Amino acid sequence: MTKKSKSGSSKNRSGRFSEPVTGLTKRFTASLDFDKRLAPYDIRASVAHARMLNAVGILSAKDFAAIQNGMKQINGEIASGKFPWQLELEDVHINIESRLIALVGDAGKRLHTARSRNDQVATDVRLYLRSAIDEISKLIKAAQNALLDLAEKHAATVMPGFTHLQVAQPVTFGHHLLAYFEMLKRDSERLTDCRRRVNQLPLGSAALAGTSYPIDRMQVAKELGFDGLCENSLDAVSDRDFAVEFTACAALIMTHLSRFSEELILWMNPGFGFVEIADRFCTGSSIMPQKKNPDVAELLRGKTGRVNGHLVALLTLMKAQPLAYNKDNQEDKEPLFDTVDTVVNSLKIFAEMLPGIRVNREAMRKMATQGHATATDLADYLAKKGLPFRDAHEAVAKAVRFAVKRGCDLSELKLNELRQFSKLIGKDVYPVLSLEGSIKSRSHVGGTAPKQVKAAILRARKQLG
Ligand code: ARG
């Protein structure tokens, strides 16, 4: 147990105060319940700080060794759940420091030289977020690989492509899946870019104005793997742009997962009947025995709202905050941590669910034949034979109207029926009007032809390495 100071109930309650805080104030100002998760980063940063203090002659080798040993023990205590956390001690930083002092005495009391909790917490959060970004980047890659595996199986599977959720043109399911691969690719790039700004060291800025000690910030940055230093002490202790930026990246990741989820939910409706999601990702109803609900997809969609909310919370937290550190900033953690947890869990289950998607090729094909999906192909056919595209468009519109009246697809009209709309139409029109013909013809980079889908998958696999 730590010794309590005479004048107050916690270590940052010095002789400056004449009365202890009320229980309510204590609970209201404490962050321990949620910032505990920063402990491993706090310890690493403290050891790096102590090593530097020793290197520049502020701390003796003996004291540094004591701090290092004490921190080792504390690490073990935390890992094994034996650490004596005390809400009295407000946050993770004071808890660890107090325990260190209890373990190693005066050496522990010297650790906080040339440092403040303001630059300490900013450093911890950046270290935490950097490792979260690295984990999320790996999970994005896993989801991308799962998309590629499914796309490979369905490089030639025909489905209706939609605009306005109306049948527009045939596409391949593989091509559709690759659209999500692209979204995740951008997400991954955004995170890599965000990481550069996360990975700058605030430590050394102390409370706000820097410190009078001859510190070596670069040494600390190197030990902790930072790319560089936050270059203005006032900015360093108050900046939370990196958390906002990360949460914006996360909101986009969730947005992408929610778009795919929404499609799965629609496609699982028997009206579409395009896919079945494996039972292990679905749940039943407590009243309707026949139900199989796509709960995982629905929750992925729903959790997007939560991350969007965190983004707005962080932006609002920072809006109009005067320099430098304000206690408001303690409120950065819960939204940030929950964003990380939500994105990590969502990406994991998304990647696991993808191989559990069974495709009903027939249902996809059937809907593709029902919406005159090859009308544009007919217009292109006429335009290639010399008819100006606008006139071709009009001729095909009339042909579609005729087919609608007949209750059949364009491709089911007889040649003489089609020729009422243009004499340029010949027997060679039928492959053009077929789903396969339409798809095969869109053969350029970014097109839906199976050949292009396969090439895109190869490129994608190479990119992922
Ligand atoms: N728990 C605090 C936070 O999360 C640590 C920094 C406290 N600094 C202070 N000057 N009260 O922001």
Side-chain angles (χ1 to χ4, degrees):
M1 276 290 127
T2 53
K3 262 204 342 222
K4 288 183 182 159
S5 62
K6 270 188 225 137
S7 51
S9 57
S10 68
K11 279 279 176 277
N12 62 335
R13 202 135 180 95
S14 61
R16 162 76 178 75
F17 297 94
S18 59
E19 60 175 5
V21 291
T22 68
L24 184 59
T25 303
K26 212 181 289 167
R27 288 192 299 279
F28 190 73
T29 53
S31 53
L32 183 64
D33 283 347
F34 49 85
D35 66 16
K36 263 182 197 168
R37 79 159 81 185
L38 294 176
Y41 307 99
D42 196 68
I43 292 171
R44 257 188 83 189
S46 286
V47 171
H49 178 69
R51 194 189 317 277
M52 178 279 289
L53 291 181
N54 171 238
V56 299
I58 300 170
L59 190 74
S60 71
K62 202 170 138 230
D63 283 348
F64 172 55
I67 289 172
Q68 222 179 359
N69 285 333
M71 287 302 197
K72 213 172 171 186
Q73 176 167 342
I74 289 172
N75 240 333
E77 288 175 353
I78 292 173
S80 62
K82 294 203 179 104
F83 187 84
W85 295 108
Q86 281 179 268
L87 190 71
E88 303 278 305
L89 299 176
E90 196 180 315
D91 60 21
V92 64
H93 320 292
I94 302 177
N95 265 272
I96 291 177
E97 191 186 331
S98 300
R99 180 73 186 136
L100 183 70
I101 294 168
L103 290 172
V104 306
D106 282 357
K109 290 186 189 166
R110 293 200 173 97
L111 172 63
H112 212 52
T113 312
R115 176 178 91 162
S116 145
R117 271 188 300 158
N118 298 351
D119 56 346
Q120 189 179 351
V121 70
T123 303
D124 293 0
V125 174
R126 283 170 184 264
L127 284 173
Y128 159 80
L129 190 55
R130 183 180 74 190
S131 88
I133 287 175
D134 292 343
E135 183 186 3
I136 293 168
S137 298
K138 277 193 201 132
L139 292 172
I140 291 180
K141 211 169 163 183
Q144 285 180 298
N145 271 317
L147 282 168
L148 292 180
D149 292 344
L150 196 59
E152 200 149 45
K153 276 200 221 152
H154 294 285
T157 303
V158 179
M159 71 177 279
F162 301 97
T163 59
H164 314 269
L165 203 58
Q166 308 294 317
V167 174
Q169 291 173 351
V171 293
T172 52
F173 185 47
H175 193 53
H176 191 105
L177 291 166
L178 289 184
Y180 286 96
F181 177 89
E182 291 297 314
M183 293 180 220
L184 290 180
K185 185 166 90 185
R186 293 193 293 275
D187 288 330
S188 175
E189 286 169 8
R190 258 186 292 274
L191 278 181
T192 304
D193 190 50
C194 170
R195 190 189 193 280
R196 291 195 298 124
R197 282 175 293 280
V198 170
N199 206 26
Q200 304 291 323
L201 176 76
L203 207 64
S205 304
L208 76 163
T211 173
S212 57
Y213 292 95
I215 56 172
D216 180 353
R217 295 185 66 201
M218 249 351 254
Q219 175 182 330
V220 178
K222 274 193 198 131
E223 173 166 346
L224 297 175
F226 282 100
D227 296 331
L229 306 176
C230 297
E231 295 204 3
N232 178 291
S233 63
L234 294 165
D235 179 49
V237 294
S238 69
D239 170 35
R240 294 295 182 273
D241 289 5
F242 64 89
V244 173
E245 239 187 272
F246 165 78
T247 309
C249 296
L252 267 171
I253 295 172
M254 292 304 296
T255 297
H256 296 149
L257 300 190
S258 83
R259 292 184 68 180
F260 193 69
S261 299
E262 169 74 1
E263 296 194 318
L264 286 179
I265 294 161
L266 284 173
W267 295 344
M268 225 178 101
N269 177 295
F272 280 85
F274 286 6
V275 297
E276 274 289 326
I277 301 175
D279 284 2
R280 59 188 181 279
F281 301 106
C282 296
T283 59
S285 153
S286 57
I287 175 169
M288 297 168 284
Q290 84 286 11
K291 289 297 288 285
K292 174 176 162 185
N293 298 324
D295 291 41
V296 167
E298 288 170 75
L299 272 175
L300 285 170
R301 190 176 59 179
K303 284 179 189 291
T304 307
R306 177 179 177 139
V307 173
N308 289 354
H310 293 328
L311 173 60
V312 174
L314 287 173
L315 282 168
T316 312
L317 175 69
M318 297 317 294
K319 178 190 172 294
Q321 241 198 69
L323 286 175
Y325 176 85
N326 299 283
K327 185 77 167 178
D328 309 42
N329 284 351
Q330 181 164 291
E331 286 290 306
D332 64 351
K333 289 167 202 61
E334 286 159 293
L336 185 65
F337 295 167
D338 190 66
T339 296
V340 169
D341 293 344
T342 306
V343 172
V344 163
N345 291 331
S346 298
L347 281 166
K348 273 186 189 161
I349 200 153
F350 178 77
E352 256 187 50
M353 188 172 62
L354 284 172
I357 293 174
R358 214 175 45 77
V359 173
N360 183 344
R361 289 184 166 82
E362 277 319 299
M364 283 184 169
R365 199 181 169 85
K366 195 166 158 220
M367 193 181 284
T369 57
Q370 281 168 356
H372 309 284
T374 55
T376 315
D377 297 271
L378 181 55
D380 287 341
Y381 167 90
L382 292 172
K384 282 175 198 161
K385 292 207 171 186
L387 196 62
F389 185 78
R390 275 286 153 244
D391 295 338
H393 184 279
E394 185 54 24
V396 177
K398 286 181 179 142
V400 168
R401 199 166 155 184
F402 181 81
V404 169
K405 253 195 217 153
R406 274 289 180 83
C408 68
D409 185 64
L410 265 185
S411 61
E412 289 164 339
L413 294 178
K414 299 208 175 70
L415 187 57
N416 61 342
E417 289 170 328
L418 283 168
R419 280 175 62 86
Q420 299 171 68
F421 305 99
S422 170
K423 292 289 170 248
L424 291 171
I425 297 178
K427 258 220 273 254
D428 59 345
V429 77
Y430 287 105
V432 171
L433 288 177
S434 74
L435 296 175
E436 269 71 20
S438 169
I439 281 166
K440 218 173 133 196
S441 70
R442 284 163 168 74
S443 190
H444 51 78
V445 175
T448 194
K451 191 175 136 200
Q452 293 298 336
V453 172
K454 283 180 199 144
I457 292 170
L458 276 182
R459 284 198 302 274
R461 292 222 193 266
K462 239 187 226 152
Q463 280 166 19
L464 287 184

